[in-house]
Amino acid sequence: MSSSANLMVDNLGRRTLKDKFYKVLVVVLSIVTISPIVLIIYELIVKGYRQISFDFILKTPPDTFEAMTALSSGELIPGGIANGLTGTLLMVVLASVIAIPVGVITGIYLYENPGKFLANLTRNVSDVLQGVPSIVLGLIAYMWIVKPITNGFSALAGSVSLSIMMLPMIVRSTEETLKMIPQTIKEAALALGVPYYKVILRVLIPTSFSGLLTGILLGISRVLGETAPLMLTALGSTMINLDITKPTSAVPLLIWEFYNDPNMVDLIWSSSLLLMAMVLALNLISKRIAARTK
Amino acid sequence: MNDNSVTIKDPVLSIRNLCVSYDKGKYAVDNVSADIKRNAVTAIMGPSGCGKSTMLRAINRMHELYENIETKGNLILNGKDITDMPTIQLRRKVGMVFQRPNPFPTMSIYDNVIAGYKLNGIRLKKSERDDIVERSLSDVTLWEEVKDTLHKKGSFLSGGQQQRLCIARALAFDPEVILLDEPTSALDPVATSKIEDLLVKLKENYSILMVTHNMSQAARISDYSMFMYLGELVEYGKTKDMFTRPKDRRTEEYLTGKFG
């Protein structure tokens, strides 16, 4: 009897040790997971905050000579990224205008016809689309828009490539959100004699509105920082441009340009900080909306 | 075999040879015929899977939404065959209340009551709307509880209040028949007894057909009872008679708790 009691005590000791080991492991791995984002934000703030000002938001970038003069006299680089901000805004809004209706309607179709061949095909294709490298989407928009339609690099082409990127996210989030609505809500409306299309428009969409919005915001925050497709489509511009048929700048494009210019390299931190803040804000807003409706 | 053991004069609804199948050749409701009495509560009882909800849902043609479900037979509502009616007209005449309270989560209490009008695009004057809302909510004894919060979301109410709101929503159309699919199975005893009292009161003006799992509930509030088993209408009669002198052995076994 004493031997078996000893065995249990032995076992207990080992199990407690194991338990402690795993607890420490989980904490360490959690820290490893969150540390990159903390370090990134820290780095951006430390290196970028000095450049952030009203000018930075309202003015276009200096030319390389101005930047060099400012640098050599030890001043801050003048100017800002207004052309990038307006360009990003223009292209993201246009991309949303294209992707949201198509994505939401497709999502509703998938929800309504779960077993149909066309629906399954659409769902799988949309999943594949999500995995297509963004540079390839840029190439496609180049072939479809830049060459035949706008005869040159344009904001429209950039928007199309971004909208293709957003599409699968919106499709899937629409379908998943609609699936979460209890069937009984739908039946309640149908039992009142409401026609099917009105049940979708006036009951299902309002009920799942916050879910749809979350998906859309995440889609937007996903494309906000896209650079590769824009290089082949929007190209960039030194001025503020609101004409969708003309080359247009964007914040991530500017960051790439600053990186390539030794005199302006200091601007990449503040630009990245601003971009990061926008993405983070959108993410937090969508998390908020999602949490509020659960 | 499915002969009614009662004859009902001037029935509000006549069910004739109703068959519903989910799979071809397998009937969830098998050749059911019955007349439903006007201004009375008729309860449909039976063990799970006996087809009672399926039959109820056939009456306002909810099955049409699902391609694989096949419905045969005739349903005659006040002398008119419902299969020829446009669904909007039918569903105004036949209100339905579901097992779980399902007010529209995005709508206020007020809008929930007149949802049938709103969603169908039927325009009403404000005074008419106010009248309908007050009458329907008073009918379900909810008016006093919610009259100051009419424009709050319906989902803030308690479960029992929500279910009464759903009944009010069905009453707003002033239907000829109200179908209730186990309306109290998701509610606590207090809320349940409120709904039961309400149904007894409502039968003065409406004809009520109710599916229930709960035998004592059927005994308490129904005037007529049906007992269904494996899709078949085994016995139909006055509730008092059925509970005291069941004719069929299966009814007796069910009522005495031998199965179900």
Side-chain angles (χ1 to χ4, degrees):
Chain A
M1 190 193 150
S2 71
S3 74
S4 77
N6 274 339
L7 201 71
M8 260 177 71
V9 173
D10 271 6
N11 237 335
L12 196 66
R14 202 183 305 148
R15 278 191 289 174
T16 321
L17 203 68
K18 254 188 186 172
D19 187 44
K20 274 194 185 138
F21 171 73
Y22 280 112
K23 260 185 199 156
V24 171
L25 190 69
V26 167
V27 171
V28 168
L29 290 180
S30 308
I31 292 171
V32 168
T33 310
I34 57 169
S35 52
I37 191 80
V38 174
L39 288 175
I40 289 169
I41 292 172
Y42 172 78
E43 193 94 334
L44 290 181
I45 291 176
V46 165
K47 292 193 168 156
Y49 83 95
R50 255 176 288 131
Q51 282 284 344
I52 302 272
S53 63
F54 278 115
D55 273 8
F56 191 69
I57 296 168
L58 298 173
K59 288 193 173 157
T60 50
D63 59 36
T64 185
F65 185 71
E66 279 177 273
M68 195 175 72
T69 327
L71 272 184
S72 58
S73 57
E75 290 164 19
L76 284 176
I77 301 173
I81 55 166
N83 55 338
L85 288 171
T86 51
T88 291
L89 196 69
L90 174 73
M91 285 191 279
V92 167
V93 167
L94 196 59
S96 307
V97 168
I98 300 169
I100 292 169
V102 178
V104 169
I105 291 170
T106 310
I108 292 171
Y109 173 76
L110 296 188
Y111 162 74
E112 286 299 332
N113 304 284
K116 283 208 178 133
F117 175 75
L118 184 60
N120 286 335
L121 185 71
T122 310
R123 193 177 297 114
N124 289 330
V125 167
S126 137
D127 284 351
V128 172
L129 194 58
Q130 192 144 30
V132 173
S134 57
I135 188 94
V136 176
L137 297 177
L139 271 172
I140 294 297
Y142 179 83
M143 295 304 293
W144 286 352
I145 314 283
V146 173
K147 284 185 81 180
I149 296 180
T150 52
N151 292 320
F153 296 106
S154 66
L156 181 66
S159 300
V160 168
S161 62
L162 295 184
S163 69
I164 300 174
M165 284 196 76
M166 285 170 77
L167 204 55
M169 294 190 77
I170 296 179
V171 170
R172 282 319 281 268
S173 76
T174 303
E175 188 191 2
E176 295 304 320
T177 327
L178 286 172
K179 270 194 202 158
M180 288 195 322
I181 301 177
Q183 186 76 4
T184 54
I185 299 287
K186 201 167 135 190
E187 289 190 334
L190 291 164
L192 292 168
V194 182
Y196 210 82
Y197 76 95
K198 270 196 187 163
V199 174
I200 293 172
L201 286 180
R202 310 252 335 242
V203 177
L204 295 186
I205 291 187
T207 307
S208 60
F209 185 73
S210 59
L212 297 186
L213 201 63
T214 309
I216 289 167
L217 288 179
L218 286 176
I220 290 175
S221 76
R222 167 100 172 71
V223 299
L224 211 54
E226 268 309 319
T227 325
L230 297 184
M231 287 174 166
L232 304 179
T233 51
L235 188 69
S237 155
T238 50
M239 292 169 300
I240 294 176
N241 169 49
L242 297 176
D243 182 346
I244 60 167
T245 62
K246 293 269 152 42
T248 305
S249 191
V251 180
L253 281 179
L254 280 179
I255 295 173
W256 171 243
E257 284 164 24
F258 295 152
Y259 173 80
N260 286 320
D261 186 335
N263 293 321
M264 305 237 258
V265 95
D266 280 1
L267 286 173
I268 60 175
W269 301 109
S270 43
S271 312
S272 304
L273 181 60
L274 215 59
L275 189 62
M276 188 76 196
M278 277 159 36
V279 172
L280 216 58
L282 275 177
N283 267 294
L284 290 178
I285 291 169
S286 55
K287 283 244 164 69
R288 244 310 153 67
I289 295 170
R292 208 180 50 191
T293 48
K294 252 171 204 159
Chain B
M1 193 150 97
N2 294 327
D3 285 344
N4 294 341
S5 45
V6 282
T7 41
I8 285 163
K9 276 180 202 155
D10 183 30
V12 64
L13 177 76
S14 300
I15 302 167
R16 287 288 169 270
N17 306 101
L18 184 70
C19 298
V20 184
S21 67
Y22 291 89
D23 270 331
K24 271 213 157 60
K26 279 168 92 182
Y27 289 99
V29 173
D30 193 356
N31 202 20
V32 169
S33 296
D35 289 337
I36 307 300
K37 190 165 166 57
R38 196 179 294 280
N39 293 349
V41 177
T42 306
I44 310 172
M45 293 181 295
S48 302
C50 71
K52 49 193 193 307
S53 292
T54 307
M55 183 168 96
L56 197 74
R57 292 162 65 91
I59 297 172
N60 74 346
R61 283 168 46 199
M62 286 300 263
H63 295 318
E64 280 173 20
L65 301 166
Y66 306 94
E67 285 170 15
N68 52 335
I69 304 180
E70 201 187 343
T71 309
K72 281 188 292 190
N74 294 87
L75 291 155
I76 293 136
L77 180 68
N78 283 323
K80 277 191 199 156
D81 198 322
I82 67 155
T83 31
D84 313 325
M85 278 183 208
T87 43
I88 168 164
Q89 205 185 330
L90 167 69
R91 289 175 188 156
R92 285 186 70 163
K93 292 180 180 187
V94 182
M96 183 146 187
V97 177
F98 296 84
Q99 198 165 350
R100 296 198 154 270
N102 54 0
F104 297 120
T106 52
M107 292 186 195
S108 65
I109 295 172
Y110 187 97
D111 286 344
N112 257 293
V113 176
I114 53 162
Y117 294 93
K118 258 189 92 163
L119 294 175
N120 281 312
I122 300 166
R123 280 166 197 271
L124 294 171
K125 284 195 212 110
K126 187 169 186 311
S127 59
E128 287 175 313
R129 284 200 305 260
D130 290 346
D131 281 351
I132 291 172
V133 170
E134 185 173 348
R135 175 181 59 80
S136 308
L137 288 175
S138 305
D139 275 354
V140 298
T141 63
L142 197 59
W143 177 250
E144 287 301 319
E145 291 161 55
V146 301
K147 66 179 177 190
D148 301 319
T149 52
L150 283 177
H151 295 283
K152 271 196 178 172
K153 293 261 159 67
S155 38
F156 285 118
L157 298 172
S158 72
Q161 286 175 320
Q162 286 188 22
Q163 192 63 305
R164 278 184 282 154
L165 177 62
C166 293
I167 298 177
R169 181 172 66 192
L171 294 182
F173 269 151
D174 206 8
E176 293 166 19
V177 178
I178 305 169
L179 308 173
L180 300 111
D181 189 357
E182 298 187 36
T184 60
S185 64
L187 304 180
D188 63 75
V190 177
T192 299
S193 89
K194 273 195 178 169
I195 301 255
E196 288 181 4
D197 294 346
L198 172 66
L199 293 177
V200 171
K201 200 187 77 165
L202 284 177
K203 75 178 180 187
E204 287 169 23
N205 298 314
Y206 301 96
S207 309
I208 296 167
L209 186 58
M210 177 178 73
V211 164
T212 178
H213 230 78
N214 183 336
M215 276 180 270
S216 49
Q217 182 173 59
R220 275 195 299 274
I221 64 170
S222 72
D223 304 291
Y224 285 82
S225 293
M226 290 182 192
F227 173 66
M228 288 183 74
Y229 186 60
L230 300 176
E232 182 190 334
L233 177 59
V234 174
E235 190 165 343
Y236 179 32
K238 284 204 167 131
T239 303
K240 226 187 331 171
D241 296 344
M242 195 191 280
F243 276 80
T244 48
R245 295 183 299 276
K247 292 194 184 77
D248 195 287
R249 189 179 46 83
R250 288 168 293 181
T251 317
E252 187 178 341
E253 282 177 359
Y254 180 71
L255 291 175
T256 51
K258 293 225 173 82
F259 72 94

